[in-house]
Amino acid sequence: MSGGAPTQFETALPFRDRREAGRLLAARLQPYANRSDVVVAAIPRGGVPVGAEIAELLNLPLSIFLVRKLGAPGQEELAMGSLTSGGAKLINRDVTNALHIPESAIDSVVFRETQELLRRERLYCRGRPRTDYKDKTVIVVDDGIATGSGMRLAVQSLKAQRAGRVVVAVPVGPGSAIAELQKIADDVICLATPSHFVAVGQWYQDFHQVSDLDVCRILDGLLERVPRSQSA
């Protein structure tokens, strides 16, 4: 249940790559292995290689959970909010008010990012229906957390879709963001919370950009995989 300290572990940094990070997370997620009520939800694009390792090693189905950052106009790296394909939208009013961003500009960014989100949904899901998370234990995975805004929205959206339990699993993130996530998730598993956190990529030896083609290749191998016999 929520309310306790987030689950954190000592681990050697930097990670070699996202696949190694996924294997290390899978070792911490063993209690969820081979369960028919558990699904891995990977956030594209960087979270997909991590989630694929977890799904493969724990014999769990892999799904895609789309979250898009809403970059502030003229400062796209600065998140003023985020949205998901389920229709959830989070606007950080502290940012929009501080930068005096008008509603028309916010709406324009939301529209643009919605189009990109729908494009990725069509590409990644390939005509398959969205995963039904109702009453499931959902392990939502990314390759790391910086501000945590996207992951917060993912957790909130999964709760709104009546997931039975939401577990956040990430290799690395700042302690403050991890603690905030723990307030709304049922559990947060983070392998490392280094001090002087600047960006997720600094904690990987190989942090190359994951392309749509990379994601599709992974999904081709895993989305059609039928998990071995599972127990509830």
Side-chain angles (χ1 to χ4, degrees), residues 112-161:
R112 184 181 69 245
E113 292 301 333
T114 297
Q115 299 311 302
E116 174 60 16
L117 188 148
L118 292 173
R119 182 194 72 82
R120 292 192 185 193
E121 186 174 63
R122 289 191 296 269
L123 178 64
Y124 300 156
C125 295
R126 313 251 183 111
R128 302 178 183 89
R130 292 177 185 168
T131 300
D132 184 1
Y133 297 110
K134 183 181 177 182
D135 298 326
K136 296 282 189 179
T137 291
V138 184
I139 302 173
V140 58
V141 179
D142 207 347
D143 55 10
I145 287 173
T147 66
S149 63
M151 185 62 80
R152 283 198 300 274
L153 186 63
V155 173
Q156 291 165 352
S157 181
L158 286 164
K159 293 280 189 179
Q161 295 178 49

Side-chain angles (χ1 to χ4, degrees), residues 50-193:
V50 183
E53 290 294 317
I54 294 170
E56 181 72 18
L57 291 171
L58 301 187
N59 188 39
L60 297 172
L62 176 69
S63 67
I64 295 298
F65 196 86
L66 288 158
V67 180
R68 289 294 295 172
K69 178 181 75 174
L70 301 174
Q75 302 182 54
E76 281 69 25
E77 292 304 311
L78 175 62
M80 65 175 181
S82 46
L83 55 87
T84 76
S85 56
K89 179 175 67 175
L90 177 67
I91 301 296
N92 187 333
R93 291 298 174 182
D94 290 338
V95 172
T96 59
N97 292 339
L99 296 179
H100 305 290
I101 302 173
E103 288 300 314
S104 60
I106 295 172
D107 291 343
S108 178
V109 173
V110 169
F111 177 80
R112 184 181 69 245
E113 292 301 333
T114 297
Q115 299 311 302
E116 174 60 16
L117 188 148
L118 292 173
R119 182 194 72 82
R120 292 192 185 193
E121 186 174 63
R122 289 191 296 269
L123 178 64
Y124 300 156
C125 295
R126 313 251 183 111
R128 302 178 183 89
R130 292 177 185 168
T131 300
D132 184 1
Y133 297 110
K134 183 181 177 182
D135 298 326
K136 296 282 189 179
T137 291
V138 184
I139 302 173
V140 58
V141 179
D142 207 347
D143 55 10
I145 287 173
T147 66
S149 63
M151 185 62 80
R152 283 198 300 274
L153 186 63
V155 173
Q156 291 165 352
S157 181
L158 286 164
K159 293 280 189 179
Q161 295 178 49
R162 294 186 287 177
R165 181 175 171 83
V166 180
V167 178
V168 172
V170 292
V172 63
S176 57
I178 296 299
E180 286 300 310
L181 282 168
Q182 197 276 334
K183 294 177 182 178
I184 61 173
D186 294 288
D187 195 9
V188 179
I189 296 179
C190 182
L191 298 177
T193 54

